[in-house]
Coordinates of all heavy atoms in Angstrom, one line a residue:
I16 N -8.1 -13.6 0.2 CA -9.5 -13.4 -0.3 C -9.5 -12.1 -1.1 O -9.1 -11.0 -0.5 CB -10.5 -13.2 0.9 CG1 -10.5 -14.5 1.7 CG2 -11.9 -12.9 0.4 CD1 -11.3 -14.5 3.0
S17 N -9.9 -12.1 -2.3 CA -10.1 -10.9 -3.1 C -11.6 -10.7 -3.3 O -12.4 -11.7 -3.4 CB -9.4 -11.0 -4.4 OG -9.9 -12.2 -5.2
H18 N -12.0 -9.4 -3.3 CA -13.5 -9.2 -3.5 C -13.7 -7.8 -4.1 O -12.9 -6.9 -4.0 CB -14.2 -9.4 -2.2 CG -13.9 -8.4 -1.1 ND1 -14.5 -7.2 -1.0 CD2 -13.0 -8.4 -0.1 CE1 -14.0 -6.5 0.0 NE2 -13.1 -7.3 0.6
R19 N -14.9 -7.7 -4.7 CA -15.3 -6.4 -5.2 C -15.7 -5.4 -4.1 O -15.9 -5.8 -3.0 CB -16.5 -6.6 -6.1 CG -16.3 -7.5 -7.3 CD -17.6 -7.6 -8.1 NE -17.9 -6.4 -8.8 CZ -18.4 -6.3 -10.0 NH1 -18.5 -7.4 -10.8 NH2 -18.7 -5.1 -10.5
D20 N -15.7 -4.1 -4.4 CA -16.3 -3.2 -3.5 C -17.8 -3.6 -3.3 O -18.5 -4.0 -4.2 CB -16.2 -1.8 -4.1 CG -14.8 -1.2 -4.2 OD1 -13.9 -1.7 -3.4 OD2 -14.6 -0.3 -5.0
N21 N -18.2 -3.4 -2.0 CA -19.6 -3.7 -1.6 C -20.0 -5.1 -2.1 O -21.0 -5.4 -2.7 CB -20.5 -2.7 -2.3 CG -20.2 -1.3 -1.9 OD1 -20.0 -1.0 -0.7 ND2 -20.1 -0.4 -2.9
A22 N -19.1 -6.1 -1.8 CA -19.3 -7.5 -2.2 C -20.5 -8.1 -1.6 O -20.9 -7.8 -0.5 CB -18.1 -8.3 -1.9
I23 N -21.1 -9.0 -2.4 CA -22.3 -9.7 -1.9 C -22.0 -11.2 -1.8 O -21.4 -11.8 -2.7 CB -23.5 -9.5 -2.9 CG1 -23.8 -8.1 -3.1 CG2 -24.7 -10.3 -2.5 CD1 -24.8 -7.8 -4.2
F24 N -22.3 -11.8 -0.7 CA -22.0 -13.2 -0.5 C -23.1 -14.1 -1.1 O -24.3 -13.8 -0.9 CB -21.9 -13.5 1.0 CG -21.6 -15.0 1.4 CD1 -20.3 -15.4 1.4 CD2 -22.6 -15.9 1.7 CE1 -19.9 -16.7 1.7 CE2 -22.2 -17.2 2.0 CZ -20.9 -17.6 2.0
Q25 N -22.7 -15.1 -1.9 CA -23.6 -15.9 -2.6 C -23.9 -17.2 -1.8 O -22.9 -17.9 -1.4 CB -23.1 -16.3 -4.0 CG -24.0 -17.2 -4.8 CD -23.5 -17.6 -6.1 OE1 -22.4 -17.1 -6.5 NE2 -24.1 -18.4 -6.8
H26 N -25.1 -17.6 -1.6 CA -25.5 -18.8 -0.8 C -26.6 -19.5 -1.5 O -27.4 -19.0 -2.2 CB -26.0 -18.3 0.6 CG -26.6 -19.4 1.4 ND1 -25.8 -20.5 1.9 CD2 -27.8 -19.7 1.9 CE1 -26.6 -21.3 2.6 NE2 -27.8 -20.8 2.6
A27 N -26.5 -20.8 -1.4 CA -27.6 -21.7 -1.9 C -28.1 -22.6 -0.8 O -27.3 -23.4 -0.2 CB -27.0 -22.6 -3.1
F28 N -29.3 -22.4 -0.4 CA -29.9 -23.3 0.7 C -29.8 -24.7 0.2 O -30.3 -25.0 -0.9 CB -31.3 -22.9 1.0 CG -31.9 -23.7 2.1 CD1 -31.6 -23.4 3.4 CD2 -32.7 -24.8 1.9 CE1 -32.1 -24.1 4.5 CE2 -33.3 -25.5 2.9 CZ -33.0 -25.2 4.2
P29 N -29.3 -25.6 1.0 CA -29.1 -27.0 0.5 C -30.4 -27.7 0.2 O -31.4 -27.6 1.0 CB -28.5 -27.7 1.7 CG -28.0 -26.6 2.6 CD -28.9 -25.4 2.4
C30 N -30.5 -28.4 -0.9 CA -29.4 -28.5 -1.9 C -30.1 -28.3 -3.3 O -30.0 -29.1 -4.2 CB -28.8 -29.9 -1.9 SG -27.4 -30.1 -0.9
R31 N -30.7 -27.1 -3.5 CA -31.5 -26.9 -4.6 C -30.8 -26.4 -5.9 O -30.9 -27.0 -6.9 CB -32.6 -26.0 -4.2 CG -33.6 -25.6 -5.4 CD -34.3 -26.8 -5.9 NE -35.3 -26.4 -6.9 CZ -36.5 -26.0 -6.6 NH1 -36.9 -26.0 -5.4 NH2 -37.4 -25.6 -7.5
E32 N -30.1 -25.3 -5.7 CA -29.6 -24.5 -6.9 C -28.6 -25.3 -7.7 O -28.7 -25.4 -8.9 CB -29.1 -23.2 -6.4 CG -30.2 -22.3 -5.8 CD -29.6 -21.0 -5.3 OE1 -28.8 -20.4 -6.1 OE2 -29.9 -20.6 -4.2
E33 N -27.6 -25.8 -7.0 CA -26.6 -26.5 -7.8 C -27.2 -27.8 -8.4 O -26.9 -28.1 -9.6 CB -25.4 -27.0 -6.8 CG -24.4 -27.9 -7.5 CD -23.9 -29.0 -6.6 OE1 -24.1 -28.9 -5.4 OE2 -23.3 -29.9 -7.2
H34 N -28.0 -28.5 -7.7 CA -28.6 -29.7 -8.2 C -29.6 -29.4 -9.4 O -29.7 -30.2 -10.3 CB -29.3 -30.5 -7.1 CG -28.3 -31.1 -6.2 ND1 -27.4 -32.1 -6.5 CD2 -28.1 -30.8 -4.9 CE1 -26.7 -32.4 -5.5 NE2 -27.0 -31.6 -4.5
F35 N -30.2 -28.2 -9.3 CA -31.1 -27.9 -10.4 C -30.3 -27.6 -11.7 O -30.7 -28.1 -12.8 CB -31.9 -26.6 -10.1 CG -32.8 -26.2 -11.2 CD1 -33.9 -27.0 -11.6 CD2 -32.6 -25.1 -12.0 CE1 -34.7 -26.6 -12.6 CE2 -33.3 -24.7 -13.0 CZ -34.4 -25.5 -13.4
S36 N -29.3 -26.9 -11.6 CA -28.4 -26.7 -12.8 C -27.8 -28.0 -13.3 O -27.7 -28.2 -14.5 CB -27.3 -25.6 -12.5 OG -26.5 -26.1 -11.5
N37 N -27.5 -28.9 -12.3 CA -27.0 -30.2 -12.7 C -28.0 -31.0 -13.4 O -27.8 -31.7 -14.4 CB -26.5 -30.9 -11.4 CG -25.9 -32.2 -11.7 OD1 -26.5 -33.3 -11.9 ND2 -24.6 -32.2 -11.8
G38 N -29.3 -30.8 -13.0 CA -30.4 -31.5 -13.7 C -30.6 -31.0 -15.1 O -30.9 -31.8 -16.0
L39 N -30.3 -29.7 -15.4 CA -30.4 -29.2 -16.7 C -29.4 -29.9 -17.7 O -29.7 -30.2 -18.8 CB -30.2 -27.7 -16.8 CG -31.2 -26.8 -16.0 CD1 -30.8 -25.3 -16.1 CD2 -32.6 -27.0 -16.7
I40 N -28.2 -30.1 -17.2 CA -27.2 -30.8 -18.0 C -27.6 -32.3 -18.1 O -27.4 -32.9 -19.1 CB -25.8 -30.6 -17.4 CG1 -25.4 -29.2 -17.5 CG2 -24.8 -31.5 -18.0 CD1 -25.3 -28.7 -18.9
R41 N -28.1 -32.9 -17.0 CA -28.5 -34.3 -17.1 C -29.6 -34.5 -18.1 O -29.8 -35.6 -18.7 CB -28.9 -34.8 -15.7 CG -27.8 -35.0 -14.8 CD -28.2 -35.3 -13.4 NE -27.0 -35.2 -12.5 CZ -26.3 -36.2 -12.2 NH1 -26.6 -37.4 -12.6 NH2 -25.3 -36.1 -11.4
E42 N -30.5 -33.5 -18.3 CA -31.5 -33.6 -19.3 C -30.9 -33.7 -20.7 O -31.3 -34.5 -21.6 CB -32.4 -32.3 -19.3 CG -33.3 -32.3 -18.1 CD -34.1 -31.1 -17.9 OE1 -33.9 -30.1 -18.6 OE2 -34.9 -31.0 -17.0
V43 N -29.7 -33.0 -20.9 CA -29.0 -33.2 -22.2 C -28.5 -34.6 -22.3 O -28.5 -35.2 -23.4 CB -27.8 -32.1 -22.2 CG1 -27.0 -32.4 -23.5 CG2 -28.4 -30.7 -22.3
E44 N -27.9 -35.1 -21.2 CA -27.3 -36.4 -21.3 C -28.3 -37.5 -21.5 O -28.1 -38.4 -22.3 CB -26.5 -36.6 -20.0 CG -25.3 -35.7 -19.9 CD -24.6 -35.8 -18.5 OE1 -25.1 -36.4 -17.6 OE2 -23.4 -35.3 -18.4
V45 N -29.5 -37.4 -20.8 CA -30.5 -38.4 -21.0 C -31.1 -38.3 -22.4 O -31.3 -39.3 -23.1 CB -31.6 -38.2 -20.0 CG1 -32.8 -39.1 -20.3 CG2 -31.1 -38.5 -18.6
Y46 N -31.3 -37.0 -22.9 CA -31.8 -36.8 -24.3 C -30.8 -37.5 -25.3 O -31.3 -38.2 -26.2 CB -31.9 -35.3 -24.6 CG -32.3 -35.0 -26.0 CD1 -33.6 -34.9 -26.3 CD2 -31.4 -34.9 -27.0 CE1 -34.1 -34.6 -27.6 CE2 -31.8 -34.6 -28.3 CZ -33.1 -34.5 -28.6 OH -33.5 -34.2 -29.9
N47 N -29.6 -37.3 -25.1 CA -28.6 -37.9 -26.1 C -28.7 -39.5 -26.0 O -28.7 -40.1 -27.1 CB -27.2 -37.5 -25.7 CG -26.8 -36.2 -26.4 OD1 -27.3 -35.9 -27.5 ND2 -26.0 -35.4 -25.8
A48 N -28.7 -40.0 -24.8 CA -28.7 -41.4 -24.6 C -30.0 -42.1 -25.2 O -29.9 -43.1 -25.9 CB -28.6 -41.8 -23.2
V49 N -31.1 -41.4 -25.0 CA -32.4 -42.0 -25.5 C -32.5 -41.7 -27.0 O -32.9 -42.6 -27.7 CB -33.6 -41.3 -24.7 CG1 -34.9 -41.7 -25.4 CG2 -33.6 -41.7 -23.3
N50 N -32.1 -40.6 -27.5 CA -32.2 -40.3 -28.9 C -31.3 -41.1 -29.8 O -31.5 -41.3 -31.0 CB -31.8 -38.8 -29.1 CG -32.5 -38.2 -30.4 OD1 -33.7 -38.4 -30.6 ND2 -31.7 -37.6 -31.2
N51 N -30.3 -41.7 -29.2 CA -29.5 -42.7 -29.9 C -30.2 -44.0 -30.2 O -29.8 -44.7 -31.1 CB -28.2 -43.1 -29.1 CG -27.2 -42.0 -29.2 OD1 -27.1 -41.2 -30.2 ND2 -26.3 -41.9 -28.2
L52 N -31.3 -44.2 -29.5 CA -32.1 -45.4 -29.6 C -33.5 -45.2 -30.3 O -33.9 -46.0 -31.1 CB -32.3 -46.1 -28.3 CG -31.0 -46.5 -27.5 CD1 -31.4 -47.0 -26.1 CD2 -30.2 -47.5 -28.3
V53 N -34.1 -44.1 -29.9 CA -35.5 -43.8 -30.4 C -35.5 -42.3 -30.6 O -34.6 -41.6 -30.3 CB -36.6 -44.3 -29.4 CG1 -36.5 -45.8 -29.2 CG2 -36.5 -43.5 -28.1
D54 N -36.7 -41.9 -31.2 CA -36.9 -40.4 -31.4 C -37.3 -39.7 -30.2 O -38.5 -39.7 -29.8 CB -37.9 -40.3 -32.5 CG -38.1 -38.8 -32.9 OD1 -37.3 -38.0 -32.5 OD2 -39.1 -38.5 -33.7
C55 N -36.3 -39.1 -29.5 CA -36.6 -38.5 -28.2 C -37.1 -37.0 -28.5 O -36.5 -36.3 -29.3 CB -35.4 -38.4 -27.3 SG -35.7 -37.8 -25.7
K56 N -38.2 -36.6 -27.7 CA -38.7 -35.3 -27.9 C -38.3 -34.3 -26.8 O -38.1 -33.2 -27.1 CB -40.2 -35.4 -28.1 CG -40.7 -36.3 -29.1 CD -40.1 -36.1 -30.5 CE -40.6 -34.9 -31.1 NZ -40.0 -34.7 -32.5
D57 N -38.4 -34.8 -25.6 CA -38.0 -33.9 -24.4 C -37.7 -34.7 -23.2 O -38.1 -35.9 -23.1 CB -39.1 -32.9 -24.2 CG -38.6 -31.6 -23.5 OD1 -37.4 -31.5 -23.1 OD2 -39.4 -30.6 -23.5
V58 N -37.1 -34.1 -22.2 CA -36.7 -34.8 -21.0 C -36.9 -33.8 -19.8 O -36.5 -32.6 -19.9 CB -35.2 -35.2 -21.0 CG1 -34.8 -35.9 -19.6 CG2 -35.0 -36.2 -22.1
N59 N -37.4 -34.3 -18.7 CA -37.5 -33.5 -17.5 C -36.9 -34.3 -16.4 O -37.4 -35.4 -16.0 CB -39.0 -33.2 -17.1 CG -39.2 -32.5 -15.8 OD1 -38.2 -32.0 -15.3 ND2 -40.4 -32.5 -15.3
I60 N -35.7 -33.8 -15.9 CA -35.2 -34.4 -14.7 C -35.8 -33.6 -13.5 O -35.5 -32.4 -13.3 CB -33.6 -34.2 -14.6 CG1 -33.0 -34.9 -15.9 CG2 -33.0 -34.8 -13.4 CD1 -33.2 -36.3 -16.0
T61 N -36.7 -34.3 -12.7 CA -37.6 -33.6 -11.9 C -37.0 -33.0 -10.6 O -36.0 -33.6 -10.1 CB -38.8 -34.5 -11.5 OG1 -38.3 -35.5 -10.5 CG2 -39.4 -35.2 -12.7
I62 N -37.5 -31.9 -10.2 CA -37.1 -31.3 -8.9 C -37.5 -32.2 -7.7 O -36.7 -32.4 -6.8 CB -37.8 -29.9 -8.7 CG1 -37.2 -28.9 -9.8 CG2 -37.6 -29.4 -7.3 CD1 -37.9 -27.6 -9.8

């Protein structure tokens, strides 16, 4: 285990933070898939 001086432990209460960032990328993927077919303006992968 390597760590910085005065290290801070990072925690994400299940299962919000990772999935939220995953949703941001899924918005890109949905946008691409839809925009290939019609004129897509925006996407919200909901919390």
Side-chain angles (χ1 to χ4, degrees):
I16 299 176
S17 58
H18 66 86
R19 299 179 66 137
D20 290 339
N21 304 310
I23 302 169
F24 183 81
Q25 181 182 353
H26 173 63
F28 182 80
C30 269
R31 176 63 174 275
E32 295 178 45
E33 174 217 347
H34 291 294
F35 178 70
S36 61
N37 186 272
L39 294 177
I40 293 300
R41 287 171 190 269
E42 289 172 356
V43 174
E44 294 174 347
V45 171
Y46 178 91
N47 273 329
V49 173
N50 203 51
N51 283 334
L52 301 174
V53 301
D54 184 9
C55 186
K56 307 308 291 185
D57 208 348
V58 177
N59 177 15
I60 304 297
T61 72
I62 291 171

